[in-house]
């Protein structure tokens, strides 16, 4: 599972990872080009004690003295007194920062390095440092001005002009920049993924809703111009997705098959109207007697999708202005009945929860095999919950990467509070690259507000009298 997660992680975020690596390489190249070169010259000095008697014991004591002195000399080598003798007063501190001295472990050798942008200057300063330091030790290690020094320092290896700078190192800087960028972008993406509460998988949707995922509707670029599945004689991938949803819908209740289904979502823009229309078409293609009711009395969109007249419809029936059979229209081939919303009323919630709505729904369920109601979103208003309490089931539509888990949890709680039955969910607007991973074919289900350009084969937009 971890390997699968890492694979999907890289596949989803590879553009951002490549961008971060590209920027890191550019920054490393720019910084490296702007850095002045630094050359290092090295000298080696021998610290030795004076054997005054020439005996074995005095030679041993001289060696011990040299070993004791060498560590102190490593610190003394970069002192202001020594450095001030080889450079001007203004450059003492800068040169001190570029001098490194160390005692070679297990020996009485002292190694010193001097760094400088100019290789010749680095070698000259290193040699001058060794000479002046030897002279200083010769002075301070004399018990009296006329006696011989107890310890002396001898310059063993003089510095040569370095040919290759020690910095900058372009490849090292590039590799370090790429590693840092990779760590930072990975940490950012992982943190974003962990903090992202949007629904992006069927497992997340199943956990948030507590119900089965009945359909996965994928995104297609031409869906804005062709939102319905009647195009290409139903041979598109989105048509297959809605046929899968239709099949799964048939198996949700063997003993309690719903005859009325309210289709809603958590928030606007998640594609519930498109799912309602295409699901009704898919059922009609399977020779179901299905009616699509536009129950969104605040922002009706079904007439725009189907290209029909929607000025007279459900609201007119509920206020007793017209009869139900006078406003039902037959659309498409094979025939699918449609009940538009009609005029937008000032009190949608009261109308949808009225006894008249119960009577209309009862008459429709007696006449049709399935009544699909396109309802408003759940969270902004109570209309969908009201319809959910009247219908046999509710189908929740979520948008991939937009619907949040907490919104889905709240929506299911609202439906549960009115004893509405959630028959399942639909994951909508899924990117094609994720559809294969999620399990099966995909189609289009995202709702647009524009008018459909698809012309039904027969009887589109014609009002027929239906006995209900």
């Amino acid at each position: 599972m971890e390997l699968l997660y890492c694979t999907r992680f890289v596949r989803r975020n590879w553009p951002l990872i490549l961008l971060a690596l590209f920027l890191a390489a550019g920054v490393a190249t720019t910084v490296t080009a702007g850095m002045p070169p630094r050359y290092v010259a090295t000298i080696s000095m021998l610290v030795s004690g004076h054997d005054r008697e020439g005996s074995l014991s005095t030679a041993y004591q001289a060696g011990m003295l040299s070993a004791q002195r060498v560590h102190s000399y490593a610190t003394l080598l970069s002192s202001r007194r020594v450095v001030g003798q080889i450079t001007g007063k203004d450059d003492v501190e800068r040169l001190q920062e570029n001098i490194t001295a160390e005692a070679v472990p297990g020996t009485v050798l002292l190694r010193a390095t001097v760094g400088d942008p100019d290789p010749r200057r680095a070698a000259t300063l290193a040699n001058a440092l060794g000479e002046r330091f030897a002279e200083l030790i010769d002075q301070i290690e004399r018990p009296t001005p006329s006696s011989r020094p107890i310890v002396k320092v001898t310059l063993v290896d003089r510095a040569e002009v370095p040919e290759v700078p020690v910095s900058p190192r372009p490849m090292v800087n590039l590799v370090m920049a790429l590693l840092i960028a990779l760590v930072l972008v990975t940490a950012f993406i992982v943190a974003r993924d962990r903090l992202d509460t949007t629904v992006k998988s069927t497992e997340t949707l199943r956990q948030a809703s507590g119900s089965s995922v009945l359909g996965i509707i994928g995104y297609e670029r031409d869906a804005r111009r062709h939102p319905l599945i009647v195009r290409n004689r139903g041979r598109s991938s989105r048509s297959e997705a809605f046929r899968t949803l239709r099949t799964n819908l048939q198996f949700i209740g063997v003993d309690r098959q719903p005859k009325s289904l309210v289709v809603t979502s958590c928030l606007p823009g998640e594609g519930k109207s498109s799912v309602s229309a295409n699901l009704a078409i898919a059922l009609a293609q399977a020779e179901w007697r299905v009616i699509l009711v536009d129950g969104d009395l605040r922002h009706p969109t079904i007439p725009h999708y189907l290209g029909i007249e929607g000025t007279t419809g459900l609201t007119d029936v509920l206020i007793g202005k017209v009869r139900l059979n006078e406003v039902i229209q037959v659309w498409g081939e094979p025939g699918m009945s449609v009940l538009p919303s009609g005029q937008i009323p000032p009190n949608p919630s009261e109308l949808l929860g009225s006894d008249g709505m119960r009577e209309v729904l009862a008459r429709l369920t007696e006449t049709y095999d399935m009544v699909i109601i396109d309802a408003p979103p759940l969270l902004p208003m109570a209309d969908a919950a009201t319809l959910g309490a009247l219908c046999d089931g509710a189908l929740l539509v979520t948008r991939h990467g937009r619907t949040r888990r907490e919104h889905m949890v709240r929506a299911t709680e609202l439906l549960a509070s009115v004893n509405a039955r959630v028959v399942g969910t639909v994951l909508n607007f899924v990117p094609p690259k994720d559809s294969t991973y999620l399990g099966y074919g995909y189609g289009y289900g995202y709702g647009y507000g524009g008018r459909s350009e698809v012309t039904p084969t027969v009887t589109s937009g014609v009002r027929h009298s239906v006995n209900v």
Side-chain angles (χ1 to χ4, degrees):
M1 187 63 182
E2 291 298 329
L3 180 60
L4 179 61
Y5 173 79
C6 293
T7 303
R8 293 182 61 238
F9 177 85
V10 174
R11 186 179 64 180
R12 288 198 312 265
N13 300 285
W14 68 265
L16 182 58
I17 295 175
L18 287 182
L19 177 61
L21 295 178
F22 178 78
L23 292 177
V27 171
T29 303
T30 303
V31 172
T32 300
M35 293 176 61
R38 183 173 183 272
Y39 296 85
V40 171
T42 305
I43 59 173
S44 296
M45 293 171 284
L46 176 66
V47 179
S48 57
H50 175 58
D51 181 8
R52 290 173 293 181
E53 299 179 1
S55 63
L56 182 61
S57 61
T58 56
Y60 175 77
Q61 292 176 358
M64 290 295 295
L65 182 61
S66 300
Q68 294 173 1
R69 291 285 199 273
V70 68
H71 293 285
S72 301
Y73 291 167
T75 303
L76 183 61
L77 189 62
S78 59
S79 65
R80 177 176 291 271
R81 180 176 178 180
V82 179
V83 176
Q85 296 181 19
I86 62 175
T87 187
K89 295 182 179 180
D90 297 336
D91 294 335
V92 172
E93 293 184 359
R94 183 190 63 82
L95 185 56
Q96 283 182 305
E97 295 175 356
N98 289 279
I99 294 177
T100 302
E102 62 176 353
V104 180
T107 69
V108 290
L109 291 176
L110 187 63
R111 183 181 295 120
T113 61
V114 177
D116 196 86
D118 185 354
R120 294 185 179 277
R121 176 179 168 82
T124 302
L125 290 174
N127 291 326
L129 179 67
E131 294 171 356
R132 296 295 181 272
F133 185 68
E135 295 175 359
L136 176 63
I137 297 303
D138 184 74
Q139 295 175 6
I140 64 177
E141 291 293 351
R142 292 176 183 268
T144 63
S146 59
S147 62
R148 299 182 61 181
I150 301 176
V151 178
K152 68 176 181 177
V153 173
T154 306
L155 184 59
V156 179
D157 291 328
R158 298 181 63 84
E160 297 181 354
V161 178
E163 298 180 356
V164 180
V166 296
S167 68
R169 292 179 290 179
M171 290 305 301
V172 174
N173 293 347
L174 178 61
V175 172
M176 290 298 297
L178 293 178
L179 290 177
I180 293 174
L182 187 61
V183 171
L184 291 179
V185 73
T186 302
F188 169 76
I189 295 173
V190 170
R192 184 185 64 177
D193 185 63
R194 291 289 184 261
L195 296 176
D196 185 9
T197 62
T198 57
V199 176
K200 293 182 178 178
S201 67
T202 55
E203 183 62 28
T204 302
L205 180 56
R206 188 179 299 110
Q207 293 176 356
S209 63
S211 58
S212 302
V213 180
L214 301 182
I216 298 176
I217 314 300
Y219 166 76
E220 289 185 358
R221 292 183 178 180
D222 64 343
R224 180 181 293 274
R225 294 184 294 111
H226 306 286
L228 302 181
I229 61 173
V230 296
R231 186 166 172 253
N232 296 329
R233 297 183 179 181
R235 295 177 181 176
S236 63
S237 57
R238 57 183 165 181
S239 301
E240 182 61 32
F242 279 102
R243 283 193 288 268
T244 301
L245 174 59
R246 178 189 65 194
T247 302
N248 291 336
L249 193 61
Q250 295 174 349
F251 290 96
I252 59 175
V254 178
D255 299 327
R256 187 186 171 190
Q257 183 68 36
K259 295 198 64 178
S260 58
L261 186 67
V262 57
V263 181
T264 183
S265 60
C266 298
L267 295 172
E270 294 176 338
K272 51 91 182 173
S273 297
S274 146
V275 172
S276 301
N278 286 311
L279 177 59
I281 293 173
L283 291 172
Q285 290 175 345
E287 299 183 355
W288 285 47
R289 293 176 300 165
V290 59
I291 183 170
L292 175 62
V293 180
D294 192 351
D296 192 344
L297 304 186
R298 300 176 188 269
H299 185 65
T301 56
I302 294 300
H304 296 290
Y305 276 101
L306 303 181
I308 62 176
E309 178 63 37
T311 55
T312 305
L314 179 61
T315 55
D316 301 280
V317 175
L318 295 179
I319 64 177
K321 186 177 180 180
V322 296
R323 296 180 181 178
L324 179 60
N325 61 347
E326 296 176 349
V327 293
I328 294 179
Q329 305 179 41
V330 178
W331 185 93
E333 177 68 36
M336 175 186 72
S337 299
V338 181
L339 176 58
S341 63
Q343 298 293 329
I344 298 178
N347 55 342
S349 297
E350 289 77 1
L351 286 179
L352 294 176
S354 63
D355 293 335
M357 184 63 194
R358 295 175 183 271
E359 182 181 350
V360 168
L361 189 58
R363 293 173 61 184
L364 294 177
T365 53
E366 289 178 1
T367 306
Y368 296 93
D369 297 326
M370 176 64 73
V371 179
I372 296 179
I373 303 178
D374 178 37
L378 268 166
L379 299 185
M381 53 206 73
D383 300 7
T386 302
L387 289 172
L390 300 179
C391 295
D392 296 336
L395 183 66
L396 285 175
V397 178
T398 60
R399 180 177 175 180
H400 180 280
R402 180 168 176 177
T403 304
R404 296 188 176 276
R405 290 193 290 265
E406 55 268 26
H407 293 163
M408 179 57 61
V409 172
R410 178 58 179 160
T412 54
E413 290 176 349
L414 286 175
L415 292 174
S417 66
V418 296
N419 295 322
R421 175 193 176 196
V422 180
V423 298
T425 59
V426 174
L427 185 56
N428 199 15
F429 210 70
V430 179
K433 63 181 180 180
D434 289 342
S435 299
T436 304
Y437 168 76
L438 292 174
Y440 51 89
Y442 59 90
Y444 168 70
Y446 176 65
Y448 294 96
R451 182 179 297 272
S452 170
E453 296 183 5
V454 178
T455 303
T457 53
V458 295
T459 65
S460 175
V462 179
R463 186 173 298 137
H464 294 265
S465 177
V466 181
N467 294 323
V468 290

